[in-house]
Amino acid sequence: MTTDTLLAPQAVNLQAQVSGSSFYTAMRLMPRAEREAMFAIYAFCRLVDDIADDGTRPRPIRAQELESWRADLAALYAGQPAGRAAFLAGPVRDFGLRHADFLAVIDGMAMDVAADIQAPGLATLDLYCDRVASAVGRLSVRVFGMEEAPGLALAHELGRALQLTNILRDLDEDAGIGRLYLPREVLEAAGIASDDPLAVVADPRVDSACRALAPRALAHFAAADRLLASRPRGRLLAPRLMAAVYRVILEKMLAQGWAAPRRRARVGKARLLWLVARCGLAR
């Protein structure tokens, strides 16, 4: 990522955060213009997510900071000085990134700022996944050069698949900051009445709840796979790789279960390189 795209200290910090990840590997395989646009999108997401997750500051202050991002984006799309959003100008111009999708991401972060999400209903969880993940997908598929209909469909399916996998992987980290994204319906079906994050993740029945949610993620992965198998137009190595890596993570979690103490599921470097090769051959 160049310092023209984002201020140098932020660029260095963000690159350090993702270095070695499947996301970073996928980006490195893209042409430079697309790679820098994807890094800018990721940088935006990281910056607003850090606001939502900063429990050291009162909620009204974090909410106002998200509103400031909305104002900067409005200025950017109006062709005016855009403040912190200025680094997005090139990607917005070059790839036609939509204002509404950036705002949707902020809407998702605002859900976390308004109150710690704890055992949402399935409809609320789906809205959250659309905002924090599928909206990012809608930005990304424009960088990938996809046509409208298959691009929106892929963003819908893969975004939800990835976010549900993250929720299943990050149970303990989320509970540590007072959040619980497992939906109320699967908790109740598992016999868990509490919505207290720490109590739920300590309950042995959480394994059953997670196993009830996992098929939803698998169904979204399957739908994304069908879309990718239809060979839509676009540079699709990155989404193929992300889908493959996160499916492996989900399969590992299903194999080891969610009983405490949980081990964070990861994809080793050798397996990642194998997936890169396999996804490259599938193009």
Side-chain angles (χ1 to χ4, degrees), residues 17-65:
Q17 287 178 27
V18 300
S19 180
S21 69
S22 56
F23 175 79
Y24 188 63
T25 301
M27 284 198 305
R28 290 183 62 187
L29 298 171
M30 301 177 71
R32 180 174 177 177
E34 287 83 351
R35 180 174 68 247
E36 293 192 354
M38 285 301 300
F39 209 114
I41 292 168
Y42 177 84
F44 163 77
C45 294
R46 186 72 265 160
L47 291 166
V48 294
D49 186 62
D50 285 347
I51 295 169
D53 287 351
D54 185 2
T56 66
R57 294 186 296 166
R59 294 185 189 278
I61 291 177
R62 286 182 281 158
Q64 183 55 53
E65 195 162 348

Side-chain angles (χ1 to χ4, degrees), residues 109-176:
M109 302 307 165
M111 291 173 72
D112 279 321
V113 169
D116 289 324
I117 295 177
Q118 296 177 351
L122 279 166
T124 299
L125 177 62
D126 189 66
L127 176 62
Y128 180 78
C129 290
D130 184 78
R131 289 172 169 176
V132 303
S134 291
V136 180
R138 293 192 289 272
L139 293 166
S140 302
V141 295
R142 298 187 75 81
V143 177
F144 301 153
M146 296 188 71
E147 294 177 344
E148 184 83 358
L152 290 177
L154 182 64
H156 176 95
E157 301 293 353
L158 188 54
R160 283 161 167 80
L162 300 182
Q163 187 62 28
L164 290 173
T165 302
N166 279 335
I167 287 169
L168 290 166
R169 183 188 61 184
D170 297 340
L171 286 181
D172 295 301
E173 292 88 341
D174 291 334

Side-chain angles (χ1 to χ4, degrees), residues 62-126:
R62 286 182 281 158
Q64 183 55 53
E65 195 162 348
L66 290 178
E67 289 303 311
S68 296
W69 268 102
R70 293 184 198 275
D72 286 345
L73 285 167
L76 173 66
Y77 279 88
Q80 299 171 356
R84 291 170 297 180
F87 71 92
L88 295 168
V92 166
R93 178 193 64 238
D94 296 341
F95 297 99
L97 305 183
R98 291 176 176 167
H99 190 186
D101 294 323
F102 285 113
L103 293 179
V105 176
I106 293 177
D107 288 342
M109 302 307 165
M111 291 173 72
D112 279 321
V113 169
D116 289 324
I117 295 177
Q118 296 177 351
L122 279 166
T124 299
L125 177 62
D126 189 66

Side-chain angles (χ1 to χ4, degrees), residues 229-252:
S230 70
R231 295 188 175 275
R233 190 184 74 186
R235 295 168 291 277
L236 301 179
L237 178 56
R240 289 185 196 279
L241 179 59
M242 293 299 291
V245 168
Y246 271 72
R247 183 191 284 273
V248 168
I249 290 172
L250 181 55
E251 290 171 348
K252 283 190 170 188

